[in-house]
Structures are given as C-alpha cells and as structure tokens.
Amino acid sequence: MSLHIATGLPYRTVREDVRIPLPTGRPGADGSEVTHLYARIWRPVTDEPVPALLEYLPYRVTDWTAPRDQQRHPWYAGHGYASVRVDVRGHGNSEGLPGDEYDATELADGVAVVHWLAEQPWCNGRVGMFGISWGGFNSLQIAALAPEPLKAIVTVCSADDRYDNDVHYMGGSVLAVDMHAWASTMLAFVSRPPDPEYVGTDWRGMWLKRLEAVDPFIHTWLDHQTRDAYWRHGSVSEDYSAIKAKVLAVGGWHDPYRDTVLRLVRHLPDDQVRGLIGPWSHQYPDRGLPPGPAIGFLQETLRWWDQHLKGEDSGVMNEPKLRSWISESHPPATVYPELEGHWVGDPAWPSPYVTPVEYAFQGEPLLVRSPQHTGLAAGRYFPFGNDADLPPDQREEDANSAAFEFAVDERLQILGRPRVRLRLTSPSPRGQVIARLCDVAPDGSSTLVTRGVLNLSARYGRDKVAPWRPGDTEDVTFELNGIGHAFPPGHRIRLAVSSAYWPWIWPQPGSEDGFTLDPAGSGLELPVRGAGDRALDATIAFAEPEQAEPLAVIHPAPEDPAGRRPERLVVHDVAARTWRLDVDPRYGGTRIYPDGLEFHEDALEQYTITDDDPLSATTRSSWTVRLRRPELAWDTEVRTRSEITCDAGDFLTSNELTCSEGGEVIFHRTWERRIPRTAG
C-alpha cells in the first residue's frame, strides 16, 4: 500500500506546549511543592468542546518521538479531537524524578492527566488513550484504574502480563536478549537532559537531580525472578473486569506481545473489546515498515474514537471480535517488505472455527543436548522493521535440536497458540526447554513459524521455583506464541526441541547436560482453523495508510556508508569454541530537528557464550547519546556501559554512567551488584 499525506482535513488545527500541574497534595519526589508534566497539544479550531486523546510516554515529545507524533496527533486534531502527547515525570521536559517503568506514581500521574484534560474548557469531558509499547501498556493499566472520563483506549503492541509477556522473562526464564538490552537502553534514555529551549536555564539543575536518582532497571528486574507482587502490579490480567473503557487491542505476528490481543478478546465482553492482529513488527500498522502490508490505521482508530467518544455509529462494533491476518507460507528471510496472506474474522475467542488437532511424536527416547550457541538464528526479540530483524533459515538450529516432522497432504492453516506436551527426564535440577514450530519446504529450507519456552523450575507456575529432582521423569506442557500461518501441501511441519536458546534465554547452570525426551509421552497440538465464514472474511478491508504531513527532520548521510557497522554479526572463534553476536539496534542514528536540535545516538549490544559452558554467558551494551544546540552553545553527552555475567549462584551486573556538558564530565557513577539466581 502507498502512504497518503492528508491535506484539507475537516478542521484547521493549532498546537501549543503546556505544563500540566499535578494535583496539590502530591508533591514531586524532588521536594518541589508541585510537579508539572510537559505536554504538547494539537487542537481543532472550533468553538465546540471536543474529546481529548492522550498518548503518555517517557520518550521525549520534543525530540525522540517527535517524527512519529507528527504523523498522527495533527491528523486526529484535523478530524475533531484534541490530541495530547505528555512526557512521563522525570523524562523529557517534565519535572520530577524518574521512576521504574509503570510504577504507581506514573499511573497516578496518568489518571491525574486524564482528569485535567476532561476539565479543560475545550474538552467535552470524554477522554481516550492510545499508544504503542510503553504507551500501550500504560493505556491498559490506567484503564484498569478506571478514571471516569476515560471512555476508550487503543493499545498497540502491549502486554497484559508484565512478567511473562514483556521484555524480562519468557516461560519463567530470564530473557537475556532483551532484559539486559532494554535495561541498558533505559539507563541511557532516562539520563538524557531536559532541553533548555523548552525549560530555560534551569535545565542543568533538573538534569543533575535526575541523575542522582537514577538506578539501573536491571537491578529491580533481576531481584524479582518469579511472578511476585512486583510483576502483578500493572498486569491487567490479574483482573480484566477492572477495565471499564472500550478496548481496541492491536498486535502483529512479528511482535512479542501479540498474545495479549488473544487474551483480551477472550476475557473482555463482546460489547467492550475488538482485536486486530496483522503481519506487522513492533510498529504502528500505518508506518509501512516491514513486514507489511500496512493499513489505514489512523482511519481505523478514528472509527473507534467516533463510536465511543462522539457517540456516532461508525460500524466498528459490527466488526468480528477478532480480525487476524493469516500468512501464506514464505521462504526464510530476515526481512519481508510484504507477506502474502489474507484476513479472517472470528466472532469470539476461542473461535468456533478453530479446532485443536493432536500430532503424536514417534521414536525412541533421545538425548537433547544442544550446543549453548543454539539460538543465534533466533532473530531480534523486538523486530522494528530493520533488514536483519527476522529469523533466517532454521536448518542449523534444527540440527542442534530434536526434530519431529509431519507431512502436509492438504492445505492447513493455524490460528492461535500451539501447545506442546513433552515427557522429559532431566539429570539436573535446573534447565530450560525450547520448542520451535517450523515450515519446511520441499527444498529443505526451514522457516520459523512460532516458538515457546519453559524454565523447568517454573513448570508448576511462574510464581514458584520447583527444582527438578535429578533422574525423575515428568510430563510438561506449555504454549507457543500465537500465530496465523498456512502450510501448503507438500511442505512438512517441524517441531524442533532444544535445551539452549542463546541469547534469547539465559542458560541455567547444569543445562549443558540437556535432558532425555521420550516421544511416547510427547506431542504437538495445533489450533487448526477451518474455512470459517468466508463471506464475513471478504468484508474485512482497510483504507490506504494516511498520515499528517511529516516533520522536516534531516538525517545526515554517514561519513562512510561502506564502513557502517552490520546490524547483526556472528563471530565464531573456532579454536576456543566461543560465539559472539554483535547487534546494532539502529533506533535512529543522527538527526537534526526543525527547531535546530542535533540529536545523535549510537548503541552496540554483544552476546558471548562458549559451546559447552552455560556459565560463560555474557551480555554487554554500550550507548552514546549527544544532544546539541549550536545557537545556545549547548552540548551534552550521555555514555553508558553495561555488562552481565554469571556463576552458578549469582548474576553479576556492572553499569557505568558518564554525563558531560561542553566536553567536561559533570556526573559519573558506577554500580556493581551480585544478585542471587533464585529462578534464573
């Protein structure tokens, strides 16, 4: 689909930057009497009060998300909504000190902002919230607090379970690939200074107060290795009935959070929720980033707002409860501009059109003892639409796993979460099992369809640690991530089981011994979707993507494009049997904003392991962020360095933060922590 830049919108718009005061009686943690949050508001020019839409993030409205904000907020304003973008306390140009992600203060502030918006003379008292990732999370969480003015939300690429469907843990196992990478990213992000262009000469004092309050997120996240009260906070799966607003839940099959959409449409009433899952990565579905096809997402959300904030019958509640994209079989590749497939509609979830079908394993018991580097072809945990995001051919990974295959005699399409049942005998109290579902073509190429993980000590629940009794045999069952995929005749379904998956999963001590898998007690359950209602499916259609006129950001060309660092580079020291994965996350590089701000960022993640030693696992991350305004003689830089290593009993974390102004270091701190491996 081609992108259309909207002109001639129904309303002329105005933009203003304001500071929203939080209620008295809730002083800032920095000792100030009142804390103000920085907000940018786009409003339609009209004498009539209109609904307000809120996007609430820590990612800096005046720079980091400004290009994305410009695509959608002015568009909503041009269609009769006050569209508001607010920086979370202690971030960007908002006052106060930063806290942990989604902490009680952030959510209470969000509730206060909802009420403030509803009370403005230009607002009709009805508020919606939307956002992707962090903004999608807190939209759900604030909806669960049920402020009266909040009538509807659109939550994109977010999670209802902060423990088992976020960047920290998967199947009860530590997510080495993103727990560390995201904690390191946030250490750099939270340490960026306020902008003197917007906060004036007090920027330096604000910055230093923030820096004194910084503590790496990784400490807290590793301190809570089971699903305890820390993770239950903010997990709306604890009580879906607390959500009173109407919920449009959106995800992509290449986003790690897509299972939340399936759970929300399952647990919320028919008149409260609609779900939409496309082929997309961790992006808004109108941005045109691979894999596509993109859709007119702003128009789709406008239907949602018109229905629930203006009381207009837009027909959005006549749509199927869940609209899903089913991808056709495709060869393995790390990027797809667009995938072939089709839309299907299901009136409920679980769907009456989906039937669980069992596939029994065959063969004698076999030892699964995967090399520790198994998983290097897993792809990026958070695909963003970059060239090296998605998993390449899985044949090498399959060779390091126990593989079970099933012939496809006629077209088979699945929709939902496959489930595996495995009979295992483990010689070690600790370990993990990873299952990957692959589509194997006649030429032998293997395309990853979906996967799942189980920490063996979490087999009785994510809230407890139950070491395996060495030598015992037990049956374990776990689900793989949801997917919509069609296997064509002549292909084979492959279920590959491994005992390692680095760097996604941090290996357990003793896991080098693997486990024995008995096919006689094992099998695969696929959610097979029948034809459904083809007439209904045929009605599912979306407009072409449309956005507001883009922000005039300049992206200078790199000085040496040929020497640009690869996105993903695997280095194998053959003699030492050591593997290293270098990852350039490519969040944005250098850009120059229309207001004159020069913003530069550079990051490198490294993951190292030796084939037969799970205790050799090491993650490293480094960040450089520079913000510069030549006209103000303002030049600041943030540098971070983070590392995690381990021994049998502990994780060892090391973090360093260095902040400079005009080339002079004004803040430097290091943190060294030893954190017991209670479950990880």
Side-chain angles (χ1 to χ4, degrees):
M1 291 186 176
S2 58
L3 173 66
H4 173 65
I5 302 301
T7 58
L9 298 178
Y11 292 87
R12 291 187 299 110
T13 64
V14 293
R15 194 197 85 183
E16 61 177 333
D17 287 12
V18 303
R19 289 166 176 80
I20 298 176
L22 297 176
T24 56
R26 295 191 56 239
D30 60 356
S32 60
E33 292 185 2
V34 179
T35 298
H36 294 82
L37 302 187
Y38 197 89
R40 180 161 287 175
I41 303 175
W42 292 261
R43 289 193 291 115
V45 177
T46 175
D47 293 331
E48 297 295 323
V50 298
L53 304 177
L54 169 62
E55 187 177 19
Y56 176 51
L57 291 168
Y59 298 149
R60 304 174 63 98
V61 63
T62 57
D63 50 64
W64 208 71
T65 64
R68 191 180 77 190
D69 297 338
Q70 180 66 26
Q71 293 172 341
R72 52 209 68 247
H73 288 278
W75 191 93
Y76 285 137
H79 285 86
Y81 290 84
S83 199
V84 185
R85 171 68 176 81
V86 177
D87 277 342
V88 168
R89 176 194 293 253
H91 294 267
N93 300 314
S94 286
E95 296 174 350
L97 303 180
D100 194 7
E101 57 180 8
Y102 325 123
D103 65 11
T105 298
E106 175 186 331
L107 300 186
D109 287 352
V111 169
V113 171
V114 167
H115 284 289
W116 184 89
L117 292 173
E119 293 163 1
Q120 299 312 298
W122 40 258
C123 181
N124 68 1
R126 301 175 71 84
V127 179
M129 281 191 75
F130 71 93
I132 181 171
S133 199
W134 195 304
F137 273 79
N138 64 26
S139 293
L140 269 177
Q141 293 167 18
I142 291 171
L145 297 175
E148 194 280 331
L150 184 62
K151 305 301 183 182
I153 69 170
V154 175
T155 180
V156 185
C157 297
S158 71
D160 59 340
D161 186 333
R162 292 188 55 225
Y163 178 76
D164 212 31
N165 198 192
D166 199 351
V167 300
H168 316 100
Y169 295 87
M170 185 177 185
S173 289
V174 172
L175 266 171
V177 70
D178 235 69
M179 181 188 281
H180 182 213
W182 190 240
S184 303
T185 299
M186 286 308 299
L187 178 60
F189 279 16
V190 76
S191 302
R192 295 172 296 185
D195 190 332
E197 178 74 12
Y198 299 98
V199 303
T201 57
D202 193 35
W203 72 271
R204 197 174 190 271
M206 291 174 64
W207 190 23
L208 289 173
K209 287 180 181 178
R210 288 185 190 177
L211 294 175
E212 290 292 344
V214 167
D215 187 64
F217 285 1
I218 193 66
H219 298 160
T220 305
W221 297 346
L222 283 177
D223 278 339
H224 299 273
Q225 293 173 34
T226 58
R227 195 177 185 280
D228 58 12
Y230 171 79
W231 299 111
R232 292 195 294 272
H233 162 78
S235 292
V236 301
S237 57
E238 292 292 298
D239 181 11
Y240 292 104
S241 68
I243 301 172
K244 305 305 180 186
K246 307 295 185 180
V247 177
L248 176 59
V250 183
W253 292 131
H254 291 91
D255 178 74
Y257 298 155
R258 71 258 198 180
D259 295 335
T260 286
V261 178
L262 300 179
R263 288 191 291 267
L264 287 171
V265 296
R266 176 173 186 166
H267 291 285
L268 293 179
D270 292 353
D271 64 352
Q272 186 180 3
V273 68
R274 289 296 181 270
L276 174 65
I277 309 181
W280 313 300
S281 62
H282 194 71
Q283 293 286 355
Y284 277 123
D286 58 320
R287 299 194 71 195
L289 295 168
I295 64 169
F297 184 63
L298 287 174
Q299 300 96 303
E300 194 65 19
T301 59
L302 184 65
R303 296 174 65 210
W304 191 256
W305 305 130
D306 287 348
Q307 178 84 36
H308 301 299
L309 299 183
K310 290 186 176 180
E312 301 175 3
D313 185 2
S314 66
V316 71
M317 298 309 289
N318 298 327
E319 301 286 358
K321 193 170 187 184
L322 177 65
R323 288 173 288 172
S324 306
W325 174 270
I326 295 184
S327 295
E328 297 298 326
S329 180
H330 43 274
T334 59
V335 65
Y336 305 93
E338 288 198 1
L339 288 169
E340 295 294 325
H342 63 284
W343 291 99
V344 298
D346 291 276
W349 196 262
S351 171
Y353 306 140
V354 174
T355 303
V357 176
E358 292 276 352
Y359 292 79
F361 295 171
Q362 304 293 327
E364 299 298 320
L366 67 162
L367 176 64
V368 181
R369 190 179 181 185
S370 307
Q372 293 298 316
H373 76 274
T374 305
L376 287 176
R380 186 172 183 170
Y381 183 73
F382 270 114
F384 277 92
N386 292 333
D387 289 342
D389 277 0
L390 303 183
D393 197 315
Q394 297 290 289
R395 276 180 278 198
E396 184 174 351
E397 304 278 69
D398 297 348
N400 290 330
S401 309
F404 302 90
E405 295 189 353
F406 310 95
V408 181
D409 297 323
E410 57 184 32
R411 176 184 167 84
L412 177 77
Q413 61 180 19
I414 61 173
L415 178 63
R417 301 192 67 179
R419 182 188 302 267
V420 293
R421 183 185 70 260
L422 303 175
R423 181 162 294 168
L424 305 179
T425 305
S426 175
S428 172
R430 293 186 174 188
Q432 58 277 321
V433 56
I434 299 90
R436 291 175 298 108
L437 184 67
C438 298
D439 182 345
V440 182
D443 66 2
S445 61
S446 179
T447 300
L448 182 66
V449 176
T450 186
R451 61 200 140 193
V453 175
L454 178 66
N455 180 346
L456 295 183
S457 71
R459 64 196 182 281
Y460 301 139
R462 307 294 192 261
D463 59 341
K464 55 181 67 73
V465 179
W468 199 286
R469 184 174 174 177
D472 277 7
T473 299
E474 293 191 38
D475 292 343
V476 300
T477 302
F478 59 99
E479 290 182 309
L480 313 189
N481 295 127
I483 196 66
H485 183 86
F487 295 88
H491 282 223
R492 287 168 288 148
I493 299 167
R494 177 179 291 162
L495 194 283
V497 179
S498 64
S499 60
Y501 206 54
W502 177 260
W504 274 44
I505 302 302
W506 199 285
Q508 297 270 11
S511 63
E512 70 273 21
D513 295 326
F515 48 76
T516 298
L517 190 159
D518 184 358
S522 305
L524 166 68
E525 179 186 287
L526 291 182
V528 175
R529 191 183 191 278
D533 186 337
R534 291 178 175 171
L536 178 63
D537 296 347
T539 67
I540 300 175
F542 300 95
E544 296 284 315
E546 182 175 292
Q547 296 170 356
E549 187 169 345
L551 192 67
V553 177
I554 299 172
H555 295 269
E559 295 182 3
D560 180 14
R564 190 178 187 186
R565 189 166 56 214
E567 286 183 41
R568 299 179 74 86
L569 175 68
V570 176
V571 179
H572 181 201
D573 184 331
V574 178
R577 302 183 65 206
T578 296
W579 301 74
R580 189 185 81 231
L581 173 65
D582 292 354
V583 178
D584 183 341
R586 296 198 179 177
Y587 282 121
T590 298
R591 55 267 201 196
I592 302 173
Y593 291 88
D595 66 0
L597 176 69
E598 298 178 9
F599 194 113
H600 168 79
E601 64 185 24
D602 180 69
L604 178 65
E605 303 164 14
Q606 292 185 314
Y607 306 90
T608 306
I609 202 160
T610 302
D611 263 343
D612 57 355
D613 184 7
L615 301 184
S616 66
T618 302
T619 64
R620 296 185 178 90
S621 176
S622 60
W623 270 86
T624 300
V625 179
R626 185 183 183 192
L627 290 88
R628 180 171 176 263
R629 287 191 175 277
E631 76 281 5
L632 298 180
W634 182 68
D635 191 351
T636 62
E637 186 175 77
V638 174
R639 289 183 176 271
T640 66
R641 176 197 57 79
S642 304
E643 179 179 276
I644 304 178
T645 59
C646 67
D647 56 28
D650 298 293
F651 291 107
L652 292 84
T653 68
S654 173
N655 289 273
E656 181 178 17
L657 170 62
T658 305
C659 298
S660 304
E661 178 192 352
E664 178 184 348
V665 174
I666 65 166
F667 185 89
H668 177 259
R669 187 174 177 184
T670 60
W671 296 263
E672 306 284 340
R673 284 280 305 273
R674 179 178 284 271
I675 301 172
R677 301 183 69 168
T678 55

